[in-house]
């Protein structure tokens, strides 16, 4: 049998219909797209834990090329969208720049209220229906996880303390650039019974208890030294660069999402390194903006003012 490329369709976590690449082989269709890099494959973990050697699990199949597993449909379709974002916007072929295969597993764990990049693949929990719906149901989350793979193959920011907060912020930043209708993270899958809330906010990190100024950074040991907490400081800086605003008396004139994304992509892939601090982040963003737009550009000024506004000088 040859493995023929096909177009499948299915219903996502939120009940929306979408199409995506599948492969036909031996009378069966598989959640396996072949046109992007070395391919995109989506598997069923059958409740195996994210640490289980049973991962990735079974490649998800259908005899009709119609897929009814919402978590699988979204994990697969959103992986395509994130691949396309990095290829078309930044010229990057998959997360490693070399077409690496993108592998996901859904139904990981039992009612697991989380998701992750485990170094080799993406894994998604189903949530317990109260804290989360199946987490692949939000494009933010898929883009966040795949961006961890981009970071790991570029700056490789150490996942603790300040470098870890920057690692987290890079994932939130590109999640917001891909799922570009707002500056919230996880809003589509977080607390299904509570409308309008999110896991994190980049426009107002404090709305969810995260710091929006360096003087308010968490210095304890929880969460690998607050990687999902102190990310709020850099997330706010990114928001200010893109949208502008006055923060703790410092005014920033926004330059828009697209230029902001280019600055952070260049900072991440050229200037940041494993032990980068927030001070290094400011310098990397200033240098990236200088390379792209010139030393005396409004883009460079926006970067400088945004980092001053969040207390990183
Ligand atoms: O990628 C990441 O940074 C997070 C990876 C979490 C993880 C780490 C190590 C092993 C397993 C899982 C997953 C996400 C996250 O931000 N998790 C946070 C918030 C969170 C999600 N579910 C939770 C349940 C309890 C407490 C906190 C959480 C965390 O794990 O802290 C990213 C987008 C949405 C979920
Ligand atoms: Ca969002
Ligand atoms: Zn993360």
């Amino acid at each position: 049998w040859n493995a023929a490329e096909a177009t499948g369709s299915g219903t996502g976590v939120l009940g929306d219909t979408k199409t995506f690449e599948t492969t036909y082989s031996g009378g069966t269709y598989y959640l396996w797209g072949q046109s992007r890099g070395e391919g995109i494959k989506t598997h069923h973990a059958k409740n195996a834990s994210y640490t289980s050697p049973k991962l990735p699990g079974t490649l998800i199949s259908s005899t009709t090329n119609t897929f009814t597993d919402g978590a699988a449909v979204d994990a697969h379709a959103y992986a395509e969208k994130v691949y396309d974002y990095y290829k078309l916007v930044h010229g990057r072929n998959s997360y490693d720049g070399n077409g690496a295969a993108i592998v996901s597993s859904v139904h990981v764990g039992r009612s697991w209220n989380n998701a992750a990049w485990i170094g080799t693949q993406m894994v998604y929990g189903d949530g317990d229906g109260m804290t989360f719906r199946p987490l692949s149901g939000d494009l933010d989350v898929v883009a966040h996880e795949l961006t961890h793979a981009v970071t790991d193959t570029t700056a490789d920011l150490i996942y603790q303390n300040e470098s870890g907060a920057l690692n987290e912020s890079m994932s939130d930043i590109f999640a917001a650039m891909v799922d570009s209708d707002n500056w919230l993270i996880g809003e589509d899958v977080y607390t299904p019974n509570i409308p309008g809330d999110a896991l994190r906010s980049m426009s107002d990190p404090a709305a969810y208890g995260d710091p929006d100024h360096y003087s308010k950074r968490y210095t304890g040991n929880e969460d690998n030294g607050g990687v999902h907490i102190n990310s709020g400081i850099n997330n706010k800086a990114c928001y200010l660069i893109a949208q502008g605003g006055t923060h703790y008396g410092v005014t920033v004139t926004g330059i828009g999402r697209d230029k902001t994304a280019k600055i952070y992509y260049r900072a991440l892939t050229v200037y940041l390194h494993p032990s980068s601090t927030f001070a290094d982040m400011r310098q990397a963003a200033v240098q990236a903006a200088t390379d792209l737009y010139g030393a005396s550009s409004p883009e460079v000024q926006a970067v400088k003012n945004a980092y001053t506004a969040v207390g990183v000088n």
Side-chain angles (χ1 to χ4, degrees):
W1 296 89
N2 71 324
E5 297 187 53
T7 300
S9 65
T11 312
V13 170
L14 303 182
D16 51 324
T17 301
K18 50 197 74 173
T19 61
F20 37 82
E21 287 189 352
T22 58
T23 291
Y24 178 74
S25 175
T28 301
Y29 295 89
Y30 296 93
L31 283 188
W32 166 24
Q34 299 183 54
S35 77
R36 294 175 171 87
E38 295 301 307
I40 296 179
K41 293 183 174 178
T42 304
H43 299 250
H44 196 308
K46 298 180 182 159
N47 300 118
S49 158
Y50 71 88
T51 58
S52 169
K54 292 179 185 169
L55 291 183
T58 310
L59 194 58
I60 290 172
S61 67
S62 158
T63 52
T64 65
N65 208 14
T66 298
F67 294 78
T68 56
D69 180 340
V73 163
D74 282 343
H76 197 67
Y78 289 158
E80 290 182 349
K81 276 180 81 81
V82 180
Y83 175 95
D84 290 347
Y85 169 80
Y86 276 107
K87 188 77 167 46
L88 302 176
V89 176
H90 302 294
R92 187 182 191 83
N93 181 9
S94 194
Y95 59 83
D96 69 345
N98 206 18
I102 294 171
V103 176
S104 302
S105 297
V106 293
H107 310 303
V108 174
R110 293 189 182 283
S111 303
W112 186 41
N113 281 317
N114 226 327
W117 169 259
I118 57 173
T120 53
Q121 65 164 96
M122 290 179 278
V123 291
Y124 300 98
D126 290 325
D128 59 12
M130 296 304 288
T131 305
F132 281 102
R133 317 189 148 91
L135 280 90
S136 58
D138 193 333
L139 177 55
D140 282 348
V141 172
V142 177
H144 180 109
E145 300 312 345
L146 201 52
T147 299
H148 276 307
V150 174
T151 297
D152 289 356
T153 53
T154 54
D156 198 13
L157 289 156
I158 297 161
Y159 203 61
Q160 65 178 8
N161 304 327
E162 292 200 8
S163 54
L166 294 176
N167 184 316
E168 268 304 302
S169 179
M170 291 300 123
S171 278
D172 282 352
I173 285 170
F174 289 104
M177 296 304 179
V178 175
D179 187 23
S180 58
D181 56 349
N182 58 50
W183 292 93
L184 299 173
I185 301 296
E187 71 282 358
D188 293 338
V189 292
Y190 187 60
T191 60
N193 302 321
I194 302 170
D197 68 345
L199 195 54
R200 291 185 288 276
S201 167
M202 297 179 68
S203 56
D204 182 16
Y208 299 105
D210 298 322
D212 60 6
H213 193 276
Y214 191 69
S215 64
K216 298 185 173 184
R217 68 193 178 281
Y218 172 77
T219 55
N221 296 322
E222 303 268 310
D223 184 34
N224 298 108
V227 300
H228 294 97
I229 300 166
N230 293 330
S231 53
I233 299 159
N234 201 58
N235 286 355
K236 180 73 183 191
C238 171
Y239 168 78
L240 287 169
I241 293 166
Q243 304 293 121
T246 300
H247 188 55
Y248 295 107
V250 179
T251 297
V252 184
T253 302
I255 64 173
R257 275 177 187 261
D258 293 350
K259 289 179 178 175
T260 302
K262 289 194 184 315
I263 291 166
Y264 278 103
Y265 182 77
R266 184 167 179 80
L268 176 63
T269 57
V270 176
Y271 296 113
L272 291 175
H273 55 271
S275 60
S276 289
T277 64
F278 275 82
D280 294 328
M281 176 73 252
R282 177 195 172 107
Q283 284 184 12
V286 168
Q287 189 58 55
T290 300
D291 297 345
L292 292 165
Y293 306 109
S296 55
S297 63
E299 291 81 1
V300 167
Q301 198 54 53
V303 171
K304 289 177 175 176
N305 292 343
Y307 278 97
T308 299
V310 298
V312 177
N313 297 298

